[in-house]
Amino acid sequence: MNDVIERKIGESIILEIHNLGDELKDKIKEQLVEICHGEYALVSGLNYHSFNETVKELVNHRIPSNINRKVGVIGELLLNVLIREFTDIKIVSPFFNLEERNVKKGFDIIAVDPNKDLWIIESKAGELGKLKTSTEKVRERINTAKRDLDTRLNMHNSQLWLNAVNSVRSALDDTSEKNTIVNILNKNSNSCLSNDKNVILGGTVFCIFNSTIDSIELRKLYNSILSSNKFSKLKLIAIQKQTYQAIIDFLVTLV
């Protein structure tokens, strides 16, 4: 994708979006219905699953007015798009919260890899704030994602896993695949531990490109989290883009 510069560092990826160009805009448009509702929406025939209704729902009801939450929602949407483009894992949960229009309760994104291993994905996004460089901000966001998942996966919370099962059931079209992944989720939910779970920690920073994410520092962060033995397998995705508002402005043009 010409709009995105990719740098691979072992099990981590740095993605720099220097321009919200036509190619990336087209990807967002192409994938929006499936991202928001899951692949079932592509064949359901429901009016609410149409592109027009989906983008109206997103722009009018799903993007919060609170700045921090707004940045978080756009960061997660962007992560949804880029995971589909730059990895071989399949997202099996919808972006939209099923029960209500506020922030999703539970895991941000659930995915499976080609070996049918389950991956739990946590997305954190932010602007620089008081931090000086994009590297510092991405480290802070990924560490926050790590702490959040570490806490949630190590507590007994049946609702967390029920939400995950319901979201997969609503998102997938193929019954056998749906049953396979629900069984994997059930197996994962049997332990209230994080160290037998595969996780992807996504950190997105919205800031100008007077600094870019340092690949050596990201590798150090990966090694540090991995050696803490908090999780089974680990991937990091670090994204840098100048502004989140450009994505909102583009979505508004689609309504």
Side-chain angles (χ1 to χ4, degrees):
M1 190 186 289
N2 296 330
D3 305 328
V4 184
I5 295 171
E6 178 189 25
R7 288 186 276 150
K8 285 187 175 176
I9 312 105
E11 290 296 312
S12 304
I13 312 172
I14 297 172
L15 298 167
E16 297 174 6
I17 305 167
H18 288 266
N19 174 45
L20 185 60
D22 289 341
E23 198 175 357
L24 184 51
K25 286 178 179 176
D26 286 346
K27 286 292 175 192
I28 294 171
K29 278 170 68 176
E30 279 170 28
Q31 298 172 0
L32 196 66
V33 169
E34 185 175 352
I35 286 171
C36 290
H37 302 289
E39 67 180 19
Y40 169 67
L42 303 178
V43 296
S44 74
L46 286 173
N47 181 45
Y48 294 115
H49 287 162
S50 68
F51 177 82
N52 288 342
E53 288 298 320
T54 299
V55 77
K56 278 196 285 188
E57 177 69 19
L58 175 58
V59 169
N60 295 332
H61 302 292
R62 302 288 180 150
I63 298 174
S65 55
N66 174 280
I67 292 292
N68 288 336
R69 286 172 59 196
K70 184 183 294 187
V71 169
V73 163
I74 297 303
E76 188 180 329
L77 178 66
L78 198 53
L79 185 61
N80 257 283
V81 174
L82 297 178
I83 283 173
R84 285 168 163 83
E85 192 64 24
F86 289 96
T87 78
D88 62 354
I89 69 170
K90 178 179 180 176
I91 293 175
V92 294
S93 61
F95 177 59
F96 282 175
N97 185 1
L98 299 176
E99 293 81 21
E100 49 198 350
R101 283 171 166 163
N102 60 13
V103 177
K104 195 186 297 177
K105 299 176 180 72
F107 304 126
D108 287 341
I109 303 171
I110 302 163
V112 290
D113 65 21
N115 298 320
K116 285 290 182 278
D117 284 336
L118 187 79
W119 291 83
I120 294 166
I121 303 170
E122 183 74 10
S123 170
K124 297 291 182 191
E127 298 178 286
L128 273 189
K130 294 177 181 176
L131 297 177
K132 292 184 174 64
T133 67
S134 54
T135 304
E136 287 177 31
K137 188 63 186 183
V138 157
R139 281 181 62 94
E140 182 268 331
R141 292 288 76 196
I142 287 174
N143 276 321
T144 302
K146 174 197 75 175
R147 284 194 302 274
D148 274 14
L149 268 192
D150 183 33
T151 301
R152 266 181 283 157
L153 290 172
N154 284 292
M155 63 169 61
H156 179 73
N157 185 346
S158 58
Q159 195 57 49
L160 193 67
W161 294 99
L162 288 170
N163 287 348
V165 167
N166 288 337
S167 69
V168 167
R169 284 194 187 284
S170 78
L172 294 179
D173 177 40
D174 183 278
T175 304
S176 62
E177 182 183 33
K178 191 185 300 188
N179 291 338
T180 300
I181 294 166
V182 166
N183 287 335
I184 297 167
L185 274 167
N186 284 336
K187 186 179 170 189
N188 273 258
S189 71
N190 285 335
S191 77
C192 300
L193 297 168
S194 63
N195 61 14
D196 60 358
K197 310 294 191 299
N198 304 325
V199 307
I200 298 174
L201 305 175
T204 302
V205 56
F206 294 105
C207 68
I208 59 173
F209 279 87
N210 58 4
S211 70
T212 55
I213 298 162
D214 188 314
S215 56
I216 294 169
E217 287 300 313
L218 193 70
R219 187 186 288 274
K220 281 185 195 170
L221 179 60
Y222 173 85
N223 289 337
S224 167
I225 296 172
L226 191 67
S227 64
S228 71
N229 295 316
K230 289 186 182 297
F231 309 112
S232 178
K233 294 179 189 170
L234 173 70
K235 296 179 189 289
L236 304 183
I237 300 177
I239 300 168
Q240 183 173 356
K241 189 184 178 311
Q242 187 160 337
T243 169
Y244 68 89
Q245 190 61 45
I247 296 173
I248 294 175
D249 292 344
F250 167 63
L251 292 171
V252 168
T253 68
L254 301 176
V255 175

PDB file of all heavy atoms in Angstrom, residues 116-143:
ATOM      1  N   LYS A 116      -5.213 -21.515  13.337  1.00  0.00           N
ATOM      2  CA  LYS A 116      -6.391 -21.471  14.213  1.00  0.00           C
ATOM      3  C   LYS A 116      -6.008 -21.246  15.683  1.00  0.00           C
ATOM      4  O   LYS A 116      -6.697 -21.710  16.582  1.00  0.00           O
ATOM      5  CB  LYS A 116      -7.245 -22.744  14.062  1.00  0.00           C
ATOM      6  CG  LYS A 116      -8.070 -22.769  12.765  1.00  0.00           C
ATOM      7  CD  LYS A 116      -9.190 -21.737  12.806  1.00  0.00           C
ATOM      8  CE  LYS A 116     -10.067 -21.758  11.555  1.00  0.00           C
ATOM      9  NZ  LYS A 116      -9.514 -21.020  10.428  1.00  0.00           N
ATOM     10  N   ASP A 117      -4.899 -20.542  15.888  1.00  0.00           N
ATOM     11  CA  ASP A 117      -4.574 -20.066  17.234  1.00  0.00           C
ATOM     12  C   ASP A 117      -5.304 -18.754  17.457  1.00  0.00           C
ATOM     13  O   ASP A 117      -5.382 -17.917  16.544  1.00  0.00           O
ATOM     14  CB  ASP A 117      -3.064 -19.842  17.396  1.00  0.00           C
ATOM     15  CG  ASP A 117      -2.298 -21.151  17.559  1.00  0.00           C
ATOM     16  OD1 ASP A 117      -2.922 -22.145  17.989  1.00  0.00           O
ATOM     17  OD2 ASP A 117      -1.096 -21.171  17.252  1.00  0.00           O
ATOM     18  N   LEU A 118      -5.816 -18.574  18.672  1.00  0.00           N
ATOM     19  CA  LEU A 118      -6.571 -17.380  19.014  1.00  0.00           C
ATOM     20  C   LEU A 118      -5.631 -16.249  19.427  1.00  0.00           C
ATOM     21  O   LEU A 118      -4.645 -16.478  20.134  1.00  0.00           O
ATOM     22  CB  LEU A 118      -7.528 -17.687  20.167  1.00  0.00           C
ATOM     23  CG  LEU A 118      -8.519 -16.576  20.539  1.00  0.00           C
ATOM     24  CD1 LEU A 118      -9.689 -16.555  19.559  1.00  0.00           C
ATOM     25  CD2 LEU A 118      -9.024 -16.769  21.968  1.00  0.00           C
ATOM     26  N   TRP A 119      -5.951 -15.029  18.986  1.00  0.00           N
ATOM     27  CA  TRP A 119      -5.193 -13.834  19.382  1.00  0.00           C
ATOM     28  C   TRP A 119      -6.157 -12.808  19.949  1.00  0.00           C
ATOM     29  O   TRP A 119      -7.186 -12.505  19.335  1.00  0.00           O
ATOM     30  CB  TRP A 119      -4.444 -13.247  18.186  1.00  0.00           C
ATOM     31  CG  TRP A 119      -3.320 -14.119  17.722  1.00  0.00           C
ATOM     32  CD1 TRP A 119      -3.406 -15.189  16.888  1.00  0.00           C
ATOM     33  CD2 TRP A 119      -1.950 -14.022  18.110  1.00  0.00           C
ATOM     34  NE1 TRP A 119      -2.172 -15.765  16.710  1.00  0.00           N
ATOM     35  CE2 TRP A 119      -1.252 -15.061  17.449  1.00  0.00           C
ATOM     36  CE3 TRP A 119      -1.245 -13.132  18.932  1.00  0.00           C
ATOM     37  CZ2 TRP A 119       0.120 -15.248  17.594  1.00  0.00           C
ATOM     38  CZ3 TRP A 119       0.128 -13.314  19.076  1.00  0.00           C
ATOM     39  CH2 TRP A 119       0.794 -14.362  18.419  1.00  0.00           C
ATOM     40  N   ILE A 120      -5.820 -12.288  21.117  1.00  0.00           N
ATOM     41  CA  ILE A 120      -6.594 -11.229  21.744  1.00  0.00           C
ATOM     42  C   ILE A 120      -5.830  -9.921  21.531  1.00  0.00           C
ATOM     43  O   ILE A 120      -4.630  -9.833  21.836  1.00  0.00           O
ATOM     44  CB  ILE A 120      -6.816 -11.528  23.237  1.00  0.00           C
ATOM     45  CG1 ILE A 120      -7.695 -12.777  23.374  1.00  0.00           C
ATOM     46  CG2 ILE A 120      -7.461 -10.343  23.946  1.00  0.00           C
ATOM     47  CD1 ILE A 120      -7.717 -13.364  24.755  1.00  0.00           C
ATOM     48  N   ILE A 121      -6.531  -8.930  20.992  1.00  0.00           N
ATOM     49  CA  ILE A 121      -5.861  -7.698  20.557  1.00  0.00           C
ATOM     50  C   ILE A 121      -6.383  -6.520  21.368  1.00  0.00           C
ATOM     51  O   ILE A 121      -7.592  -6.328  21.490  1.00  0.00           O
ATOM     52  CB  ILE A 121      -6.095  -7.462  19.049  1.00  0.00           C
ATOM     53  CG1 ILE A 121      -5.611  -8.681  18.252  1.00  0.00           C
ATOM     54  CG2 ILE A 121      -5.387  -6.193  18.578  1.00  0.00           C
ATOM     55  CD1 ILE A 121      -6.005  -8.676  16.792  1.00  0.00           C
ATOM     56  N   GLU A 122      -5.444  -5.757  21.903  1.00  0.00           N
ATOM     57  CA  GLU A 122      -5.791  -4.553  22.664  1.00  0.00           C
ATOM     58  C   GLU A 122      -5.237  -3.345  21.918  1.00  0.00           C
ATOM     59  O   GLU A 122      -4.053  -3.307  21.551  1.00  0.00           O
ATOM     60  CB  GLU A 122      -5.204  -4.631  24.075  1.00  0.00           C
ATOM     61  CG  GLU A 122      -5.548  -3.471  24.971  1.00  0.00           C
ATOM     62  CD  GLU A 122      -6.995  -3.476  25.477  1.00  0.00           C
ATOM     63  OE1 GLU A 122      -7.701  -4.487  25.279  1.00  0.00           O
ATOM     64  OE2 GLU A 122      -7.417  -2.459  26.054  1.00  0.00           O
ATOM     65  N   SER A 123      -6.101  -2.353  21.690  1.00  0.00           N
ATOM     66  CA  SER A 123      -5.714  -1.157  20.961  1.00  0.00           C
ATOM     67  C   SER A 123      -5.698   0.049  21.895  1.00  0.00           C
ATOM     68  O   SER A 123      -6.660   0.296  22.612  1.00  0.00           O
ATOM     69  CB  SER A 123      -6.721  -0.904  19.823  1.00  0.00           C
ATOM     70  OG  SER A 123      -6.515   0.369  19.245  1.00  0.00           O
ATOM     71  N   LYS A 124      -4.594   0.792  21.868  1.00  0.00           N
ATOM     72  CA  LYS A 124      -4.505   2.054  22.601  1.00  0.00           C
ATOM     73  C   LYS A 124      -3.949   3.114  21.659  1.00  0.00           C
ATOM     74  O   LYS A 124      -2.975   2.868  20.942  1.00  0.00           O
ATOM     75  CB  LYS A 124      -3.588   1.931  23.829  1.00  0.00           C
ATOM     76  CG  LYS A 124      -4.064   0.954  24.890  1.00  0.00           C
ATOM     77  CD  LYS A 124      -5.311   1.434  25.601  1.00  0.00           C
ATOM     78  CE  LYS A 124      -5.734   0.462  26.695  1.00  0.00           C
ATOM     79  NZ  LYS A 124      -7.067   0.762  27.223  1.00  0.00           N
ATOM     80  N   ALA A 125      -4.578   4.287  21.667  1.00  0.00           N
ATOM     81  CA  ALA A 125      -4.151   5.365  20.775  1.00  0.00           C
ATOM     82  C   ALA A 125      -4.094   6.669  21.551  1.00  0.00           C
ATOM     83  O   ALA A 125      -4.751   6.825  22.581  1.00  0.00           O
ATOM     84  CB  ALA A 125      -5.108   5.486  19.591  1.00  0.00           C
ATOM     85  N   GLY A 126      -3.322   7.612  21.036  1.00  0.00           N
ATOM     86  CA  GLY A 126      -3.266   8.909  21.693  1.00  0.00           C
ATOM     87  C   GLY A 126      -2.440   9.914  20.911  1.00  0.00           C
ATOM     88  O   GLY A 126      -1.697   9.550  19.992  1.00  0.00           O
ATOM     89  N   GLU A 127      -2.606  11.165  21.271  1.00  0.00           N
ATOM     90  CA  GLU A 127      -1.725  12.217  20.758  1.00  0.00           C
ATOM     91  C   GLU A 127      -0.529  12.338  21.696  1.00  0.00           C
ATOM     92  O   GLU A 127      -0.525  11.764  22.787  1.00  0.00           O
ATOM     93  CB  GLU A 127      -2.496  13.534  20.658  1.00  0.00           C
ATOM     94  CG  GLU A 127      -3.672  13.436  19.677  1.00  0.00           C
ATOM     95  CD  GLU A 127      -4.475  14.728  19.602  1.00  0.00           C
ATOM     96  OE1 GLU A 127      -5.233  15.018  20.546  1.00  0.00           O
ATOM     97  OE2 GLU A 127      -4.337  15.443  18.589  1.00  0.00           O
ATOM     98  N   LEU A 128       0.485  13.111  21.304  1.00  0.00           N
ATOM     99  CA  LEU A 128       1.719  13.171  22.091  1.00  0.00           C
ATOM    100  C   LEU A 128       1.494  13.636  23.527  1.00  0.00           C
ATOM    101  O   LEU A 128       2.087  13.097  24.457  1.00  0.00           O
ATOM    102  CB  LEU A 128       2.727  14.123  21.423  1.00  0.00           C
ATOM    103  CG  LEU A 128       3.646  13.555  20.348  1.00  0.00           C
ATOM    104  CD1 LEU A 128       4.693  14.587  19.986  1.00  0.00           C
ATOM    105  CD2 LEU A 128       4.303  12.262  20.776  1.00  0.00           C
ATOM    106  N   GLY A 129       0.647  14.635  23.709  1.00  0.00           N
ATOM    107  CA  GLY A 129       0.470  15.187  25.052  1.00  0.00           C
ATOM    108  C   GLY A 129       1.775  15.754  25.574  1.00  0.00           C
ATOM    109  O   GLY A 129       2.444  16.532  24.892  1.00  0.00           O
ATOM    110  N   LYS A 130       2.180  15.327  26.749  1.00  0.00           N
ATOM    111  CA  LYS A 130       3.404  15.854  27.366  1.00  0.00           C
ATOM    112  C   LYS A 130       4.669  15.136  26.899  1.00  0.00           C
ATOM    113  O   LYS A 130       5.777  15.561  27.228  1.00  0.00           O
ATOM    114  CB  LYS A 130       3.301  15.748  28.897  1.00  0.00           C
ATOM    115  CG  LYS A 130       2.209  16.639  29.489  1.00  0.00           C
ATOM    116  CD  LYS A 130       2.103  16.439  30.979  1.00  0.00           C
ATOM    117  CE  LYS A 130       0.991  17.326  31.545  1.00  0.00           C
ATOM    118  NZ  LYS A 130       0.781  17.108  32.994  1.00  0.00           N
ATOM    119  N   LEU A 131       4.499  14.046  26.169  1.00  0.00           N
ATOM    120  CA  LEU A 131       5.670  13.305  25.707  1.00  0.00           C
ATOM    121  C   LEU A 131       6.275  13.978  24.472  1.00  0.00           C
ATOM    122  O   LEU A 131       5.588  14.653  23.715  1.00  0.00           O
ATOM    123  CB  LEU A 131       5.282  11.858  25.411  1.00  0.00           C
ATOM    124  CG  LEU A 131       4.788  11.065  26.641  1.00  0.00           C
ATOM    125  CD1 LEU A 131       4.362   9.666  26.258  1.00  0.00           C
ATOM    126  CD2 LEU A 131       5.860  11.015  27.723  1.00  0.00           C
ATOM    127  N   LYS A 132       7.578  13.758  24.278  1.00  0.00           N
ATOM    128  CA  LYS A 132       8.298  14.531  23.257  1.00  0.00           C
ATOM    129  C   LYS A 132       8.362  13.849  21.893  1.00  0.00           C
ATOM    130  O   LYS A 132       8.416  14.510  20.871  1.00  0.00           O
ATOM    131  CB  LYS A 132       9.720  14.826  23.745  1.00  0.00           C
ATOM    132  CG  LYS A 132       9.775  15.787  24.927  1.00  0.00           C
ATOM    133  CD  LYS A 132      11.222  16.104  25.291  1.00  0.00           C
ATOM    134  CE  LYS A 132      11.304  17.168  26.370  1.00  0.00           C
ATOM    135  NZ  LYS A 132      10.706  16.733  27.646  1.00  0.00           N
ATOM    136  N   THR A 133       8.388  12.509  21.871  1.00  0.00           N
ATOM    137  CA  THR A 133       8.587  11.812  20.593  1.00  0.00           C
ATOM    138  C   THR A 133       7.517  10.744  20.380  1.00  0.00           C
ATOM    139  O   THR A 133       6.889  10.262  21.329  1.00  0.00           O
ATOM    140  CB  THR A 133       9.968  11.122  20.539  1.00  0.00           C
ATOM    141  OG1 THR A 133       9.993  10.052  21.500  1.00  0.00           O
ATOM    142  CG2 THR A 133      11.100  12.107  20.832  1.00  0.00           C
ATOM    143  N   SER A 134       7.368  10.358  19.127  1.00  0.00           N
ATOM    144  CA  SER A 134       6.412   9.298  18.787  1.00  0.00           C
ATOM    145  C   SER A 134       6.816   7.974  19.435  1.00  0.00           C
ATOM    146  O   SER A 134       5.964   7.174  19.822  1.00  0.00           O
ATOM    147  CB  SER A 134       6.320   9.142  17.262  1.00  0.00           C
ATOM    148  OG  SER A 134       7.605   8.938  16.702  1.00  0.00           O
ATOM    149  N   THR A 135       8.115   7.740  19.586  1.00  0.00           N
ATOM    150  CA  THR A 135       8.593   6.503  20.232  1.00  0.00           C
ATOM    151  C   THR A 135       8.135   6.441  21.685  1.00  0.00           C
ATOM    152  O   THR A 135       7.630   5.407  22.151  1.00  0.00           O
ATOM    153  CB  THR A 135      10.133   6.422  20.166  1.00  0.00           C
ATOM    154  OG1 THR A 135      10.541   6.512  18.800  1.00  0.00           O
ATOM    155  CG2 THR A 135      10.646   5.113  20.762  1.00  0.00           C
ATOM    156  N   GLU A 136       8.305   7.556  22.401  1.00  0.00           N
ATOM    157  CA  GLU A 136       7.884   7.597  23.807  1.00  0.00           C
ATOM    158  C   GLU A 136       6.380   7.336  23.920  1.00  0.00           C
ATOM    159  O   GLU A 136       5.932   6.611  24.811  1.00  0.00           O
ATOM    160  CB  GLU A 136       8.207   8.965  24.424  1.00  0.00           C
ATOM    161  CG  GLU A 136       9.670   9.216  24.699  1.00  0.00           C
ATOM    162  CD  GLU A 136       9.903  10.625  25.231  1.00  0.00           C
ATOM    163  OE1 GLU A 136       9.018  11.169  25.911  1.00  0.00           O
ATOM    164  OE2 GLU A 136      10.980  11.186  24.949  1.00  0.00           O
ATOM    165  N   LYS A 137       5.593   7.938  23.030  1.00  0.00           N
ATOM    166  CA  LYS A 137       4.136   7.791  23.107  1.00  0.00           C
ATOM    167  C   LYS A 137       3.709   6.370  22.788  1.00  0.00           C
ATOM    168  O   LYS A 137       2.832   5.803  23.463  1.00  0.00           O
ATOM    169  CB  LYS A 137       3.439   8.784  22.164  1.00  0.00           C
ATOM    170  CG  LYS A 137       1.917   8.809  22.332  1.00  0.00           C
ATOM    171  CD  LYS A 137       1.528   9.290  23.725  1.00  0.00           C
ATOM    172  CE  LYS A 137       0.039   9.187  23.980  1.00  0.00           C
ATOM    173  NZ  LYS A 137      -0.343   9.711  25.300  1.00  0.00           N
ATOM    174  N   VAL A 138       4.306   5.772  21.769  1.00  0.00           N
ATOM    175  CA  VAL A 138       3.945   4.398  21.408  1.00  0.00           C
ATOM    176  C   VAL A 138       4.320   3.438  22.533  1.00  0.00           C
ATOM    177  O   VAL A 138       3.560   2.510  22.856  1.00  0.00           O
ATOM    178  CB  VAL A 138       4.594   3.999  20.058  1.00  0.00           C
ATOM    179  CG1 VAL A 138       4.725   2.495  19.925  1.00  0.00           C
ATOM    180  CG2 VAL A 138       3.746   4.533  18.913  1.00  0.00           C
ATOM    181  N   ARG A 139       5.481   3.649  23.144  1.00  0.00           N
ATOM    182  CA  ARG A 139       5.868   2.816  24.298  1.00  0.00           C
ATOM    183  C   ARG A 139       4.820   2.934  25.404  1.00  0.00           C
ATOM    184  O   ARG A 139       4.396   1.929  25.979  1.00  0.00           O
ATOM    185  CB  ARG A 139       7.229   3.262  24.844  1.00  0.00           C
ATOM    186  CG  ARG A 139       8.427   2.768  24.061  1.00  0.00           C
ATOM    187  CD  ARG A 139       9.717   3.252  24.703  1.00  0.00           C
ATOM    188  NE  ARG A 139       9.844   2.712  26.048  1.00  0.00           N
ATOM    189  CZ  ARG A 139      10.507   1.605  26.355  1.00  0.00           C
ATOM    190  NH1 ARG A 139      11.116   0.915  25.406  1.00  0.00           N
ATOM    191  NH2 ARG A 139      10.568   1.170  27.588  1.00  0.00           N
ATOM    192  N   GLU A 140       4.404   4.163  25.691  1.00  0.00           N
ATOM    193  CA  GLU A 140       3.425   4.399  26.751  1.00  0.00           C
ATOM    194  C   GLU A 140       2.091   3.739  26.420  1.00  0.00           C
ATOM    195  O   GLU A 140       1.456   3.111  27.276  1.00  0.00           O
ATOM    196  CB  GLU A 140       3.256   5.912  26.958  1.00  0.00           C
ATOM    197  CG  GLU A 140       2.302   6.310  28.072  1.00  0.00           C
ATOM    198  CD  GLU A 140       0.878   6.509  27.593  1.00  0.00           C
ATOM    199  OE1 GLU A 140       0.683   6.879  26.415  1.00  0.00           O
ATOM    200  OE2 GLU A 140      -0.051   6.274  28.384  1.00  0.00           O
ATOM    201  N   ARG A 141       1.663   3.838  25.165  1.00  0.00           N
ATOM    202  CA  ARG A 141       0.380   3.241  24.747  1.00  0.00           C
ATOM    203  C   ARG A 141       0.442   1.717  24.802  1.00  0.00           C
ATOM    204  O   ARG A 141      -0.497   1.059  25.243  1.00  0.00           O
ATOM    205  CB  ARG A 141       0.015   3.704  23.332  1.00  0.00           C
ATOM    206  CG  ARG A 141      -0.338   5.183  23.174  1.00  0.00           C
ATOM    207  CD  ARG A 141      -1.703   5.538  23.768  1.00  0.00           C
ATOM    208  NE  ARG A 141      -1.679   5.623  25.209  1.00  0.00           N
ATOM    209  CZ  ARG A 141      -2.749   5.611  26.000  1.00  0.00           C
ATOM    210  NH1 ARG A 141      -3.949   5.483  25.459  1.00  0.00           N
ATOM    211  NH2 ARG A 141      -2.650   5.702  27.306  1.00  0.00           N
ATOM    212  N   ILE A 142       1.536   1.129  24.327  1.00  0.00           N
ATOM    213  CA  ILE A 142       1.661  -0.333  24.326  1.00  0.00           C
ATOM    214  C   ILE A 142       1.763  -0.857  25.760  1.00  0.00           C
ATOM    215  O   ILE A 142       1.166  -1.881  26.099  1.00  0.00           O
ATOM    216  CB  ILE A 142       2.853  -0.778  23.453  1.00  0.00           C
ATOM    217  CG1 ILE A 142       2.494  -0.587  21.961  1.00  0.00           C
ATOM    218  CG2 ILE A 142       3.232  -2.241  23.725  1.00  0.00           C
ATOM    219  CD1 ILE A 142       3.619  -0.850  20.990  1.00  0.00           C
ATOM    220  N   ASN A 143       2.491  -0.153  26.606  1.00  0.00           N
ATOM    221  CA  ASN A 143       2.574  -0.562  28.014  1.00  0.00           C
ATOM    222  C   ASN A 143       1.215  -0.480  28.704  1.00  0.00           C
ATOM    223  O   ASN A 143       0.880  -1.329  29.540  1.00  0.00           O
ATOM    224  CB  ASN A 143       3.600   0.297  28.760  1.00  0.00           C
ATOM    225  CG  ASN A 143       5.020  -0.233  28.598  1.00  0.00           C
ATOM    226  OD1 ASN A 143       5.241  -1.441  28.607  1.00  0.00           O
ATOM    227  ND2 ASN A 143       5.978   0.669  28.435  1.00  0.00           N
TER     228      ASN A 143
END
